[in-house]
């Protein structure tokens, strides 16, 4: 056991980390609504290593904070590069682990990183946090989220519906968007309960002034069923897998017939 753990640690430390980007799509017309940055590891032979193989190790050894800040910095750098090239500015979300979220110096570090990219409006950066972040107590979470919001950052509630689908979370906490977990989308369009759940969550989102984004959209039927339920934003392999910055730029920012949603920017 010790040997295995040691080996994993070595592997995580030996990886070069890079951000990949997955588009968030306006499913009504296929336009680009934003993107999510997802980390990838590259080993010494150039193989791409998925986060499932090193994230939990980083959470255990405490290096997850460094990863989240590294991703934030890279996202800002990328947006800045695209801006310098005259490409459209898009909203980009960064995953923030609950460990990072609740660490006392996180806001200061985030502000310090952000100050190095004054050309990028802060409203373009969003943090995705998971429903389990609410386990520590809604008021503690609300307090942290508010302290970031005062500085212009916004939050998305990730993986909603994967756990208890804790609706009271969004009556207490101001989220910019709710991300419907892949497990709900997987059941569409055949499962009537899932369809109804999606429809109702979408309605709540609309009433609370939040956006609703479906994760893990893999088929046209799922996209259609989500649209029918009123959920207009989607992310998933049906549209695109997470891709490198170069590929993202070519396909979504620089390609022929690109469409970036002005209302989401
Ligand atoms: P997540 O934040 O829920 O990200 C969505 C995951 O679903 C990504 O996996 C993405 O590639 C995958 N996905 C997207 N569309 C589809 C689809 O249509 N079908 C299927 N089957 N999967 C889809 P990925 O990139 O392997 O990331 C896994 C998890 O690792 C993320 O889940 C997130 O919790 C974590 N993660 C990734 N990057 C970071 C990071 O920079 N910081 C932190 N703290 N966590 C990260
Ligand atoms: Ca996420
Ligand atoms: Ca998710």
């Amino acid at each position: 056991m010790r040997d295995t753990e040691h080996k994993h640690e070595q592997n995580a430390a030996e990886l070069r980390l890079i951000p990949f980007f997955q588009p968030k799509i306006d499913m009504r017309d296929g336009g680009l609504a934003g993107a999510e940055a997802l980390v990838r590891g590259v080993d010494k032979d150039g193989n791409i290593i998925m986060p499932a193989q090193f994230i939990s190790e980083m959470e255990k050894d405490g290096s997850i904070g460094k990863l989240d800040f590294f991703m934030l910095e890279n996202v800002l750098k990328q947006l800045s590069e695209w801006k310098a090239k005259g490409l459209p500015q898009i909203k980009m979300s960064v995953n923030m682990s609950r460990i990072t979220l609740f660490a006392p110096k996180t806001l200061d570090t985030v502000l310090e990183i952000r100050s190095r990219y004054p050309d990028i409006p802060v409203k373009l950066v969003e943090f995705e946090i998971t429903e389990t972040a609410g386990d520590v107590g809604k008021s503690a979470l609300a307090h942290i989220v508010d302290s970031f919001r005062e500085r212009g950052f916004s939050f998305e509630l990730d993986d909603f519906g994967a756990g208890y689908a804790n609706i009271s979370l969004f009556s207490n906490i101001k989220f910019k968007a709710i991300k419907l977990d892949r497990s709900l989308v997987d059941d569409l369009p055949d499962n009537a309960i899932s369809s109804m759940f999606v429809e109702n969550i979408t309605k709540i989102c609309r009433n609370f002034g939040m956006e609703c984004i479906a994760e893990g959209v893999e088929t046209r039927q799922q996209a259609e069923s989500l649209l029918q339920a009123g959920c207009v934003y989607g992310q998933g392999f049906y549209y695109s897998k997470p891709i490198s910055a170069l590929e993202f730029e070519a396909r979504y920012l620089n390609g022929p017939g690109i469409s970036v949603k002005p209302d989401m920017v």
Side-chain angles (χ1 to χ4, degrees):
M1 186 65 190
R2 274 184 130 195
D3 275 356
T4 329
E5 273 175 14
H6 186 63
K7 213 166 127 203
H8 268 275
E9 232 165 77
Q10 286 280 344
N11 284 347
E14 279 170 12
L15 296 173
R16 185 166 60 87
L17 300 177
I18 54 167
F20 265 32
F21 303 95
Q22 187 179 36
K24 294 178 179 173
I25 301 292
D26 183 331
M27 297 188 287
R28 290 169 295 190
D29 59 7
L32 184 72
E36 175 179 5
L38 292 154
V39 69
R40 295 290 179 265
V42 185
D43 71 12
K44 56 182 185 329
D45 300 320
N47 301 308
I48 298 283
I49 313 293
M50 301 302 277
Q53 287 172 256
F54 56 87
I55 288 248
S56 61
E57 195 63 40
M58 292 183 123
E59 279 173 344
K60 270 186 241 149
D61 73 14
S63 56
I64 190 78
K66 275 194 204 128
L67 169 71
D68 292 342
F69 297 137
F70 167 87
M71 291 295 281
L72 173 66
E73 170 114 44
N74 273 273
V75 157
L76 287 163
K77 202 184 286 172
Q78 192 59 68
L79 290 174
S80 187
E81 245 177 75
W82 283 334
K83 185 173 188 181
K85 283 185 179 173
L87 297 173
Q89 292 283 277
I90 59 165
K91 280 209 309 194
M92 186 86 82
S93 61
V94 180
N95 290 283
M96 187 184 270
S97 84
R98 55 187 289 176
I99 297 171
T100 312
L101 184 67
F102 288 103
K105 293 221 165 80
T106 293
L107 179 57
D108 287 347
T109 310
V110 163
L111 289 172
E112 195 262 310
I113 295 170
R114 188 260 172 286
S115 70
R116 281 182 240 146
Y117 302 89
D119 55 324
I120 302 304
V122 67
K123 66 171 186 181
L124 293 183
V125 182
E126 296 189 348
F127 293 108
E128 296 194 9
I129 59 173
T130 59
E131 203 180 330
T132 53
D135 291 353
V136 290
K138 271 179 296 187
S139 61
L141 183 61
H143 181 73
I144 293 178
V145 166
D146 280 346
S147 66
F148 277 80
R149 289 181 74 244
E150 279 162 19
R151 308 301 191 120
F153 296 98
S154 44
F155 285 83
E156 295 181 19
L157 182 58
D158 206 354
D159 304 338
F160 187 74
Y164 297 107
N166 185 353
I167 290 178
S168 74
L169 260 187
F170 36 98
S171 49
N172 289 274
I173 294 157
K174 302 261 183 301
F175 288 104
K176 183 84 195 305
I178 302 298
K179 297 189 79 176
L180 296 175
D181 190 61
R182 191 165 76 224
S183 57
L184 289 170
V185 177
D186 266 350
D187 285 345
L188 299 177
D190 301 327
N191 186 320
I193 304 253
S194 294
S195 298
M196 203 174 283
F197 186 82
V198 171
E199 209 174 304
N200 284 305
I201 294 298
T202 307
K203 249 187 227 150
I204 294 175
C205 284
R206 211 175 299 129
N207 289 342
F208 277 85
M210 296 181 292
E211 283 148 17
C212 193
I213 306 169
E215 294 193 292
V217 182
E218 292 185 347
T219 66
R220 186 170 54 84
Q221 287 82 351
Q222 286 170 347
E224 279 168 2
S225 154
L226 285 160
L227 280 169
Q228 214 159 29
C231 176
V232 298
Y233 298 110
Q235 203 183 329
F237 296 169
Y238 175 58
Y239 298 104
S240 170
K241 291 195 165 174
I243 48 181
S244 70
L246 269 181
E247 207 178 335
F248 189 91
E249 181 180 320
R251 273 173 65 180
Y252 291 98
L253 303 177
N254 225 349
I258 63 145
S259 149
V260 177
K261 305 263 109 185
D263 54 329
M264 287 288 283
V265 176

